[in-house]
Every structure is written in C-alpha cells, then in structure tokens.
C-alpha cells in the first residue's frame, strides 16, 4: 500500500470524524436547552442555572465547542449528565452486546448472501435463479423494523417459540440477528450474482474451459476470487448499514446495546453520551472503508500498482 495513499485516507477519515462530531454538537445544542429537559418541572430557576454552570452550558456555543474538542484530543469525552460517569465508560459497557448482535448478523449475511449469489449465477435463467432473486427483492424491500415486528408477532406472540426482547441466550439473539442481516444478505446476493456473471463470461474463463480444467475448479480457483472485489466493496458498505440499523433493531427488541443507549441519550439530551456514540459509529465506518481499501490490494495486486501510479502522477 502506497504511503501517500494511506496518509490521504487517514486525513480524510480524521476530517470525517471532526465534521460528524461538529454537526452533532451544534444540532444537539440548537434543538433545545438540555438543562430544561434534564431537570424536573418543579426545578427552580436557581437550580437550573446551577446545572448549566456545573456542565458548562452557561458559556457560548463556540466556547463549549473549543473546550470539548480540546478535552477530546486529550482522551476526555465528557461525563454523562444522567449519572456523572465518563461517557466512554457508559458506552464501553454496551459495546460487547452490540458486537454480539452485529457479528452474528454479519455472519448470517455472508453465509447466506455469497452462496446464494454464486448459485444464482451458476444456475442463471433457471427456477433456482428466479427464486433466489425474488427472495432478494423481498428481503431488500421490507423495512428492518417492520420485519422485526412481523417476527415478534409470529414467533413470540403466536407460536411462543422465541423471546421477544432481552438477552442471555442464543434464542434471544436469533430474531434480532435475522432482522438485521436479511436486507444485507439480499444486497450481497445480488452483487455476488452480478459479479459472478461478469467473470464467467471473461475470455480467461473460456480459455480455462478449453484447457479441460474441471467446472468446479474453474469456479473455485478462477471465478470466485476474481468476483470477490465488488463483493468486498458492498460487504463493507453493508457493515456500515448493520451498525446504523442496530439503532432501530435494538429498540424494537429491547436489546441493551449502543443503539438503544443512543436513543435513550437523545431523548434525555445526555450530550456527552450522544456525541461519544456518534463518534464511535463514525470511527467504525472510517475504519471499515480503510480496511476495504487495503483488501483491494490483497485481492488484486494490480490495484495497488494503479494506486502507486496515481500517487506519482
């Protein structure tokens, strides 16, 4: 990987994080007074003024912003209004639960999406191809929250097979992971099919067939690796979608992760926690994009060479 290319990517990533934090910082303070929301209706004006002074809300927005950015650069992301603990500590408690859901949904996405796309491409024009693409359209069209509600009505309320909320077992994880991974698996299946069809019609595939290489070997050794690059791109995008979708899914299934923490923090105007969660999501997206770029060079060294040429011209 070219150093200049890597530095440029890191600079763009840092700029993205700064813009995300700045946007959320301004919107949260412009949308209402956190002191009025956090304090009870019976709170006296003196108590509200004391709250503003304690958390620095009596200063101008620009002063608050400079203070926040300066503290953030030193690793201090502020304290939660709700319980006074560091925001990072509050967020860190929820990360393992969200990771459990996100990784399970990602595994379902890959285990269903990629094989379905490959089989549909190899069976192009048959009922297998048509059925697979019909399911991908259905899976991509149904909103996540609506699918989650349907699953709860069927498997929890009617059949009583699965718990509708909470954590603690694989049965609690099943419906949220399926809900979160369905749309992503549909997207990956469609991209995999399209990429495979493009590769299967390349001249080198016909050459391999003319040389007498068995069909299974042509698919495994030549078609799938060459079709992987577009799939890596869409998988990276879908990982970002899984993170964003977790906010909705965790709320539907009362899953106590970062997404549910974000919803509660927004409702309570817990500024430090909201800003910390948004920064975490933005950082994850930037890191995923960087990993995808690095994966390009690993899958096809010609891309790395092109990056070097582009960087030197």
């Amino acid at each position: 990987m070219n150093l200049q290319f890597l530095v440029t990517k890191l600079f763009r990533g840092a700029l993205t994080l700064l813009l995300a934090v700045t946007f959320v910082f301004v919107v949260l303070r412009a949308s209402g007074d956190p002191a009025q929301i956090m304090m009870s209706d019976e709170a006296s004006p003196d108590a509200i003024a004391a709250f503003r002074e304690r958390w620095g809300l009596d200063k101008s927005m620009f002063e608050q912003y400079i203070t926040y950015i300066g503290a953030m650069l030193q690793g201090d992301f502020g304290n939660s209004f709700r319980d006074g603990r560091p925001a990072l500590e509050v967020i860190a408690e929820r990360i393992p639960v969200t990771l459990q859901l996100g990784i399970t949904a990602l595994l379902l996405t890959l285990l269903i999406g990629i094989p379905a796309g490959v089989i549909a491409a190899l069976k192009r024009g048959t009922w297998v191809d048509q059925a697979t693409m019909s399911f991908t359209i259905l899976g991509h069209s149904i909103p996540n929250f609506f699918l989650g509600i349907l699953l709860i009505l069927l498997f929890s309320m009617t059949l009583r097979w699965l718990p509708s909320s909470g954590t603690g077992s694989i049965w609690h994880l099943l419906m949220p992971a399926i809900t979160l991974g369905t749309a992503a698996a549909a997207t990956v299946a469609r991209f995999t099919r399209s990429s495979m069809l493009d590769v299967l019609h390349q001249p080198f595939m016909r050459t391999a067939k003319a040389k007498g290489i068995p069909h299974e070997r042509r698919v495994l050794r030549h078609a799938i690796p060459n079709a992987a690059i577009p799939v890596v791109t869409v998988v990276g995008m879908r990982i970002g979608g899984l993170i964003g979708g977790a906010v909705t899914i965790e709320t539907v299934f009362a899953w106590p992760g970062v997404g549910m923490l974000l919803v509660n923090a927004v409702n309570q105007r817990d500024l430090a926690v909201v800003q910390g969660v948004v920064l975490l999501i933005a950082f994850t997206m930037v890191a995923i994009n960087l990993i995808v770029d690095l994966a390009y060079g690993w899958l096809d060294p010609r891309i790395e060479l092109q990056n070097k040429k582009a960087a030197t011209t």
Side-chain angles (χ1 to χ4, degrees):
M1 178 62 68
N2 182 272
L3 181 60
Q4 183 178 349
F5 176 77
L6 183 61
V7 171
T8 302
K9 283 287 182 183
L10 292 175
F11 175 76
R12 289 177 181 172
L15 183 60
T16 301
L17 296 179
L18 179 63
L19 291 175
V21 169
T22 303
F23 177 77
V24 174
F25 187 93
V26 173
V27 168
L28 284 175
R29 284 158 179 78
S31 59
D33 183 3
Q36 294 282 359
I37 298 172
M38 292 293 296
M39 303 292 285
S40 65
D41 296 336
E42 292 78 18
S44 66
D46 290 341
I48 294 176
F51 182 91
R52 291 197 185 103
E53 183 179 2
R54 177 188 176 192
W55 296 103
L57 299 173
D58 56 337
K59 300 177 182 176
S60 68
M61 187 183 296
F62 180 73
E63 288 179 294
Q64 293 180 48
Y65 178 72
I66 295 299
T67 301
Y68 178 73
I69 294 296
M72 188 181 71
L73 292 176
Q74 299 176 29
D76 181 5
F77 291 81
N79 292 342
S80 167
F81 288 169
R82 188 178 179 187
D83 54 19
R85 290 189 299 155
L88 279 184
E89 183 179 324
V90 176
I91 296 169
E93 291 176 351
R94 304 294 189 99
I95 289 178
V97 184
T98 293
L99 281 179
Q100 185 183 19
L101 175 59
I103 291 174
T104 306
L106 178 61
L107 289 176
L108 288 175
T109 298
L110 299 178
L111 292 176
I112 295 174
I114 293 178
V118 171
I119 293 172
L122 295 177
K123 302 290 184 182
R124 183 185 184 186
T126 66
W127 69 268
V128 176
D129 181 23
Q130 294 173 359
T132 304
M133 288 302 99
S134 297
F135 277 111
T136 61
I137 293 173
L138 183 64
H140 195 68
S141 302
I142 299 178
N144 278 345
F145 73 94
F146 185 65
L147 177 60
I149 293 172
L150 289 180
L151 292 178
I152 290 174
L153 289 174
L154 177 61
F155 293 105
S156 296
M157 306 298 292
T158 303
L159 300 176
R160 299 184 181 280
W161 287 353
L162 297 172
S164 61
S165 63
T167 60
S169 72
I170 190 173
W171 307 116
H172 290 88
L173 180 62
L174 203 54
M175 285 199 295
I178 291 174
T179 305
L180 191 56
T182 296
T187 303
V188 170
R190 293 186 68 82
F191 269 82
T192 302
R193 177 183 180 274
S194 176
S195 183
M196 279 291 294
L197 288 176
D198 183 55
V199 171
L200 290 173
H201 290 87
Q202 293 295 321
F204 70 88
M205 291 299 295
R206 292 195 292 272
T207 301
K209 184 178 181 180
K211 289 181 177 179
I213 298 176
H215 175 72
E216 293 77 9
R217 188 176 176 187
R218 293 201 306 273
V219 172
L220 294 175
R221 297 285 297 274
H222 299 282
I224 292 179
N226 282 282
I229 293 177
V231 177
V232 167
T233 303
V234 73
V235 168
M237 293 170 60
R238 292 312 306 181
I239 292 175
L242 292 177
I243 297 169
V247 176
T248 305
I249 300 306
E250 289 183 1
T251 303
V252 171
F253 290 97
W255 188 264
V258 174
M260 195 169 176
L261 173 66
L262 176 61
V263 173
N264 293 333
V266 169
N267 290 332
Q268 298 166 349
R269 289 294 195 278
D270 200 344
L271 304 186
V273 174
V274 175
Q275 289 162 179
V277 172
V278 171
L279 186 60
L280 173 67
I281 294 174
F283 175 79
T284 305
M285 294 291 293
V286 169
I288 289 171
N289 283 328
L290 182 59
I291 291 172
V292 168
D293 287 335
L294 294 174
Y296 286 163
W298 178 69
L299 289 170
D300 189 349
R302 291 173 298 177
I303 294 179
E304 184 178 7
L305 181 61
Q306 290 171 2
N307 288 334
K308 289 180 179 178
K309 288 181 178 179
T312 55
T313 56

